[in-house]
Amino acid sequence: FYLAARLALIAESQLENGLVILDDPCISMDQERRKQAAGIIAKFLRDTSHQIIYLSKDEDIIEDIQEHVSKTSFIHHRLSRLT
């Protein structure tokens, strides 16, 4: 599971207060795996001092992450297209 391995490597690094950018890592996952990934992301946030910027066009992953993460540690920003 690529996401879990990537976050584990970051967690074990000597970096503190880092910023992790995830660009739609769940795009090819089905609903069950997406929920598991949301749990992994939430555990990473609880266990480390890192912050995550999660980029996605999928609104469902936002709901999945919100189920696992406290409201105070999750901020959702919706971007709109410029015309």
Side-chain angles (χ1 to χ4, degrees):
F1 191 43
Y2 175 72
L3 177 63
R6 184 174 172 195
L7 293 178
L9 284 172
I10 295 168
E12 294 298 319
S13 72
Q14 299 300 319
L15 300 174
E16 293 184 22
N17 299 324
L19 180 64
V20 178
I21 299 174
L22 300 175
D23 186 7
D24 228 347
C26 301
I27 195 163
S28 62
M29 295 180 186
D30 61 21
Q31 184 177 5
E32 182 179 334
R33 285 193 145 186
R34 194 175 60 236
K35 287 184 181 290
Q36 290 173 350
I40 290 168
I41 291 168
K43 182 177 181 342
F44 175 82
L45 289 171
R46 282 191 307 271
D47 295 347
T48 70
S49 59
H50 296 285
Q51 295 178 7
I52 293 179
I53 294 177
Y54 190 102
L55 306 169
S56 181
K57 65 182 184 87
D58 184 5
E59 292 286 326
D60 292 335
I61 188 65
I62 293 165
E63 294 172 10
D64 294 336
I65 292 173
Q66 284 177 324
E67 288 178 14
H68 294 280
V69 178
S70 72
K71 293 185 189 258
T72 59
S73 64
F74 182 82
I75 300 169
H76 175 215
H77 292 282
R78 177 176 281 155
L79 302 177
S80 59
R81 286 183 153 230
L82 297 175
T83 56

